[in-house]
Structure formats: C-alpha cells, structure tokens
Amino acid sequence: MKYPLIVLTAFVATIGLTIPAIAQIRTPSQDFFEQGRVQLERELQILQEETSESPQDEQKPESKPLLEVTPTPSSDTNQKPNQVETPQEKPNQKINNTPQN
C-alpha cells in the first residue's frame, strides 16, 4: 500500500517542480518581441537626436487657412432677424390655372 503512495507523491512533486522551471524558459517568440522593442527604442532615439540637431531659426512657410470666414455685418439691410419670409406660392396651388377633368 505504501509503494503506490510513494510513487504518486514522487510524481506530483516532480511535476510541481518542473512546470515552474519550464515556464521560465525563454521562447523564440519572446526574443522576437524583445528585439523589436529594442529596435524601436533605438529608432526613436535617432529621430529625437535628428530633431534636436535641426536648426530652430529656419523659417517655416506660412500656411493658408483651409476656409476663410468673413464676419457678417451686424446691420444687414436685406433681412431683419425677427422677420419671417413668407412663400410666394402656396404648395397646393398649380402653376397654370387650367381646370382638370
């Protein structure tokens, strides 16, 4: 009876110790992402050095606005703010007044 208990205990202990050790092994995919992160940091550093070395006195061309908006005058003579425009023709009225059968 003690023999299967000892084997089972040894098996569980072996699995319990090897699984955490296997989890610590670095895989190629982890190395791939680590190398990508290092390369990205290098490129960012190069770009930051290039922008700090560029002369700040260089004049930038003036950019034109995409849409020019001119303010409307406050005293518009064509329309008063509270006045409502009435339609000249009613919606049900026909253009020519000929009777239809």
Side-chain angles (χ1 to χ4, degrees), residues 44-59:
L44 286 173
Q45 186 178 12
I46 290 170
L47 288 174
Q48 288 174 347
E49 289 174 359
E50 286 178 2
T51 57
S52 65
E53 291 174 1
S54 65
Q56 298 295 330
D57 296 334
E58 187 177 306
Q59 291 186 2

Side-chain angles (χ1 to χ4, degrees), residues 22-76:
I22 291 172
Q24 296 298 320
I25 297 173
R26 292 188 65 85
T27 61
S29 63
Q30 290 171 330
D31 291 338
F32 171 77
F33 289 112
E34 180 67 23
Q35 290 171 358
R37 186 184 63 80
V38 170
Q39 182 178 354
L40 177 66
E41 289 176 354
R42 257 195 323 251
E43 291 176 2
L44 286 173
Q45 186 178 12
I46 290 170
L47 288 174
Q48 288 174 347
E49 289 174 359
E50 286 178 2
T51 57
S52 65
E53 291 174 1
S54 65
Q56 298 295 330
D57 296 334
E58 187 177 306
Q59 291 186 2
K60 296 179 183 175
E62 288 187 28
S63 62
K64 293 183 179 179
L66 296 176
L67 176 65
E68 289 189 23
V69 178
T70 57
T72 58
S74 60
S75 62
D76 192 0

Side-chain angles (χ1 to χ4, degrees), residues 5-17:
L5 184 63
I6 293 172
V7 170
L8 183 63
T9 305
F11 181 70
V12 170
T14 304
I15 290 176
L17 294 174

